[in-house]
Amino acid sequence: RAMELLICGGAGYIGSHCAKILRDAGYHCVIYDNLSEGHRQAVDGFPLVVGELSDADLLANTMRRYRIDGVLHFAAFALVGVSMREPIQYYQNNIGGTASLLDAMRQADVNRIVFSSTCATYGENVPVPITESVPQNPCNPYGESKLAVEKLLRRCDDAYGIKSVSLRYFNAAGAMPDGSIGEDHKLETHLIPLVLREALFPEDRLKVFGTDYPTKDGSCIRDYIHVLDLADAHLQALRYLENGGVTDFFNLGTGIGSSVIEVINTAREVSDINIKYEKADRRAGDPPILVASAEKAKAVLGWVPERSDLRTIISDAWTWHKSHPQGFRDR
Ligand code: UDP
């Protein structure tokens, strides 16, 4: 029979793309989401259970009812800035919620999980490209909460035999190339959606945070990775666990960095709109450069990003934003 997967946070940005890719690969997916950030319209015909991560009973019952074989866990708060102001929320939801999910897995005898971790677990002043052996020393509650979960996952393998893969995403971006789903956050703080919003609705709101960094053009450098390449990594991680792989963690990036100014210039070319921006102060907590070494994921999982050149990422994001200027409200 096809493997049954529970996708926590499957109505959100990355989870909804993953669900579709996994279905194409032959898996059956059930979405579990509280719809706080997720969108019902992003759930493309999958069974949807609306519930909280803290509800271990509902989670365990859902796992039993659908005879779940594995879990993918995308459900978390993910904004560095908010985490500085609301650390309790981040610890409670991201760590407490995951503990509850793992408790439910234990009850329902589910022993495989792929977890969405982040490059924010590394912290500042790390050598680039960042390999997985760089010590993790996060500099904000968001990164701390994800690191705590990575540690808990290690403990859950030792104690209960739950096998896990933690995927440390760099900068997720892009959208389904057919424009059916894409990025739509209540509070948008991410660069590419904000650049494209300025293209659609010129309001002189776009700011480049910091133009005096020690980089080629003075703006920050990030490693942007297409959401479909992330989805593909989840597929490879599941296969790895199915084949008896041990608990492990992997960076998901391209090894190539792009500056904020390069992102804006590429968006100008793709949209053919002269997107305006102004120079602004640095944003607190932003490291100048974050670029992954993706060698381990390639060597162990056989994962190679295929849609993550900056132009493809921005073209796909543009297709989504142009056809859904108000996000999922346009569906
Ligand atoms: N950034 C910017 N203007 C914005 C939003 C982001 O200059 O309106 C910069 C930000 O300082 C960082 C990069 O774009 O260097 C990527 O930021 P984003 O919030 O997308 O992702 P992060 O790297 O913080 O996870």
Side-chain angles (χ1 to χ4, degrees), residues 78-81 118-120 142 170-172 183 188-195 197 205-210 213 219-224 258-261 263-264 278 280-290:
L79 298 178
V80 169
T118 169
C119 63
Y142 168 59
F170 281 63
N171 284 62
E183 202 166 357
E188 191 53 82
T189 62
H190 294 111
L191 179 64
I192 292 177
L194 289 178
V195 170
R197 183 181 72 187
R205 279 204 284 177
L206 181 61
K207 291 188 164 63
V208 173
F209 297 141
Y213 284 103
S219 64
C220 279
I221 292 182
R222 293 290 179 273
D223 187 341
Y224 295 91
S258 304
S259 74
V260 175
I261 302 288
V263 167
I264 296 171
E278 64 186 62
D281 290 342
R282 294 182 179 194
R283 191 171 68 175
D286 272 346
I289 305 179
L290 286 174

Side-chain angles (χ1 to χ4, degrees), residues 60-299:
N61 288 335
T62 305
M63 289 178 202
R64 290 193 197 97
R65 175 169 161 218
Y66 289 98
R67 298 170 65 207
I68 293 297
D69 303 294
V71 172
L72 286 88
H73 178 27
F74 301 92
F77 295 147
L79 298 178
V80 169
V82 180
S83 81
M84 300 288 280
R85 297 190 296 275
E86 302 285 354
I88 295 173
Q89 273 187 16
Y90 272 67
Y91 274 63
Q92 221 158 35
N93 184 53
N94 292 3
I95 306 175
T98 307
S100 162
L101 171 61
L102 287 160
D103 190 27
M105 287 175 64
R106 197 166 57 99
Q107 286 179 45
D109 209 16
V110 178
N111 56 18
R112 285 174 210 151
I113 178 168
V114 180
F115 170 62
S116 304
S117 190
T118 169
C119 63
T121 57
Y122 290 114
E124 287 167 327
N125 303 321
V126 286
V128 286
I130 300 171
T131 62
E132 289 83 351
S133 55
V134 165
Q136 290 168 294
N137 190 14
C139 54
N140 53 62
Y142 168 59
E144 285 160 7
S145 71
K146 291 285 182 172
L147 178 56
V149 171
E150 286 196 15
K151 291 182 178 175
L152 176 58
L153 287 169
R154 176 71 258 160
R155 296 295 185 190
C156 284
D157 186 352
D158 298 342
Y160 320 118
I162 293 176
K163 302 292 173 197
S164 62
V165 170
S166 295
L167 297 175
R168 297 176 185 159
Y169 307 163
F170 281 63
N171 284 62
M176 198 57 88
D178 66 5
S180 58
I181 51 175
E183 202 166 357
D184 176 5
H185 299 295
K186 281 197 189 106
L187 174 68
E188 191 53 82
T189 62
H190 294 111
L191 179 64
I192 292 177
L194 289 178
V195 170
L196 297 179
R197 183 181 72 187
E198 184 63 30
L200 283 169
F201 308 106
E203 291 173 347
D204 298 329
R205 279 204 284 177
L206 181 61
K207 291 188 164 63
V208 173
F209 297 141
T211 49
D212 57 351
Y213 284 103
T215 59
K216 49 192 164 186
D217 59 25
S219 64
C220 279
I221 292 182
R222 293 290 179 273
D223 187 341
Y224 295 91
I225 180 88
H226 198 294
V227 63
L228 286 195
D229 283 329
L230 292 183
D232 188 49
H234 286 74
L235 179 61
Q236 304 306 337
L238 277 169
R239 290 184 175 148
Y240 163 87
L241 288 175
E242 279 170 62
N243 292 327
V246 298
T247 292
D248 209 344
F249 41 82
F250 302 93
N251 287 342
L252 297 183
T254 63
I256 296 169
S258 304
S259 74
V260 175
I261 302 288
E262 283 172 335
V263 167
I264 296 171
N265 285 336
T266 306
R268 284 177 171 171
E269 286 167 26
V270 166
S271 64
D272 204 20
I273 294 170
N274 184 26
I275 303 163
K276 301 236 174 61
Y277 65 87
E278 64 186 62
K279 296 176 177 181
D281 290 342
R282 294 182 179 194
R283 191 171 68 175
D286 272 346
I289 305 179
L290 286 174
V291 176
S293 160
E295 292 307 312
K296 185 179 171 190
K298 184 177 175 189

